[in-house]
Structure formats: C-alpha cells, structure tokens
Amino acid sequence: MRILIAEDDEVLADGLCQAMTHSGYAVDCVKDGHAAKVILSGEQPFDLVILDVGLPKVDGFSVLRSLRESNRQVPVIILTARDAEGDRVKGLDLGADDYMIKPFSLPELEARVRALIRRGQCGVNPVYSCGMLTFDSVGRRAAINGTTLELTTREMSVLEALMLRTGWVVSKEQLLERLYSYAEEASSNAIEVYIHRLRKKIEPAGVTIRTIRGLGYVIDNMPAQSS
Ligand code: CA
C-alpha cells in the first residue's frame, strides 16, 4: 500500500510520514503542490493521498482538480484549517473522499485511512499470492494454505514490499526506505536479518527470497527439485 502525503508544514509532515510508515505503508512525502502534481501524474500508482489544501506553488484544490480531471480515482483525504468550512465543501465538491480539520488526532486519521483503503479495495482482490503463500494487504495478514504466519511489523513490511512485486527485484534501498523513517538509523544488516527470518517462515509454502547480488531481493517459487 502506497500513500502520498502532500504537506508543507515540516513538523506535521514528518509526524504523518513516521506514523504511516510505522503502520506499514510505503510513504512518499512532497512539500508543495507542483511536486504533488508531478508525482501523481507519474507511473507509480498510489493507494491513498493525504492532501493539505494550503500548499505552496500550486494549492491543494488545483492538485485535486487535475487528479480528478485525469480520471484518477485514488482516495483523497484533504487537510483543512479549523475555520475554513468553505474549503471543506469545495474539497468534497472537487472529489475529495474525506477531510480532517487541523489540528487532528493521528489515530483518527489512521482509522480514516484504513476505512478508505478498505473501500477502495471493494471488488478488487487485495490478496497477493506466490505459490501457497498469500498476503492480504488490507487485513495485513500473511498465510500459508490459510494458516496465518506469525510475523513482526517489520517482517510484514518486507514481505509486503516483495509480494507486491512478485518475480521482480526489490532493492535493499527500497526496503530500507519502507522500513525506516529519516529519524531512525537505517541498517542494511537489519534487512538481511529480516530476509533470513522470512525465508525460514515462508519455506513451507514452497516460496523463497532470492538474493540478486548488487541489485536486491526477489520473492519467487522455489525451483523444482531435480530428482
Ligand atoms: Ca499548508
């Protein structure tokens, strides 16, 4: 699950970014409306956008308008000031799915994020699979033949990153970005530890995580045993 946060208040943006990363989402953060438009018109699809209305360069309404005009249905939560009822009405009219009034509580925002992502998944299969291993990205549950795997939050994030790109290489840097906020000390040794633990846990599914030297990791079915 990828989330874009467009917010120019650095303290708020950092807090949001850390909270969402901690919840296991892959988070991109931009600080002005122009950057938001550029990243939203790129190839990387987002599952949700948290959009401040008062952004520099291009305001949040213009970002939202061009997003909807290009027929992108990604759920959007706008962030507005307390005394700006007109902004909320305008935002909803332009196609926002929900709004939060600043200052807001993080747990409430996170609950709304989960609700919108669930709604966005209606009719779409949010479960990724590789061999007998399945990963439910909304319920945040990995299972082998229906039996839930016991995973830590970080093991879950690593597995999700790999499962979203089954058969494709995910670099160590991508895994590090996903696992650690800027404030934390990122250790690439830690990634190796998570990969090692995951390999053992998913082995019964006939699935393995291969190391592609110099590039990263790829999750794939184990090659058939030659007899
Ligand atoms: Ca602002």
Side-chain angles (χ1 to χ4, degrees):
M1 292 283 123
R2 293 197 69 87
I3 294 185
L4 177 68
I5 297 170
E7 170 60 70
D8 58 314
D9 179 323
E10 297 225 358
V11 175
L12 179 56
D14 285 351
L16 285 175
C17 183
Q18 282 186 35
M20 294 298 152
T21 305
H22 184 74
S23 297
Y25 300 108
V27 181
D28 286 293
C29 202
V30 291
K31 308 232 181 281
D32 67 70
H34 176 71
K37 276 177 90 164
V38 169
I39 196 168
L40 283 168
S41 60
E43 293 201 343
Q44 176 68 64
F46 288 92
D47 298 287
L48 186 122
V49 180
I50 298 173
L51 179 64
D52 181 32
V53 163
L55 287 174
K57 295 187 184 172
V58 175
D59 70 33
F61 294 129
S62 304
V63 175
L64 183 57
R65 188 181 290 115
S66 63
L67 187 67
R68 294 313 187 214
E69 279 173 0
S70 65
N71 216 14
R72 298 200 186 211
Q73 300 304 319
V74 54
V76 175
I77 299 178
I78 54 169
L79 308 179
T80 72
R82 175 169 298 282
D83 53 356
E85 190 190 339
D87 281 0
R88 302 196 281 282
V89 172
K90 186 173 175 186
L92 292 171
D93 282 345
L94 282 173
D97 299 273
D98 204 347
Y99 63 82
M100 294 293 287
I101 301 168
K102 293 179 181 179
F104 49 81
S105 87
L106 264 181
E108 185 182 349
L109 175 66
E110 289 180 290
R112 288 175 186 232
V113 165
R114 284 195 297 275
L116 279 176
I117 285 179
R118 265 199 304 275
R119 204 193 298 165
Q121 295 288 352
C122 280
V124 181
N125 186 358
V127 180
Y128 299 85
S129 61
C130 182
M132 287 183 289
L133 177 67
T134 55
F135 187 88
D136 177 343
S137 56
V138 174
R140 307 207 59 72
R141 172 176 175 269
I144 295 176
N145 263 348
T147 305
T148 301
L149 277 179
E150 295 290 331
L151 298 176
T152 65
T153 307
R154 289 199 161 154
E155 287 168 359
M156 186 84 81
S157 292
V158 171
L159 183 61
E160 180 180 36
L162 295 166
M163 290 290 281
L164 290 177
R165 293 179 56 83
T166 301
W168 295 82
V169 176
V170 179
S171 72
K172 202 179 251 186
E173 289 70 31
Q174 286 171 318
L175 293 175
L176 283 168
E177 279 169 16
R178 196 179 178 96
L179 254 63
Y180 297 96
S181 66
Y182 296 114
E184 291 173 297
E185 189 148 337
S187 146
S188 63
N189 289 343
I191 296 285
E192 281 160 31
V193 172
Y194 298 133
I195 295 281
H196 177 74
R197 289 194 202 137
L198 276 171
R199 276 189 183 127
K200 283 193 187 162
K201 292 183 180 181
I202 66 176
E203 196 181 3
V207 171
T208 192
I209 300 168
R210 288 185 289 130
T211 304
I212 312 294
R213 194 173 299 173
L215 290 177
Y217 301 96
V218 58
I219 195 164
D220 226 335
N221 288 310
M222 280 187 208
Q225 300 281 328
S226 53
S227 51

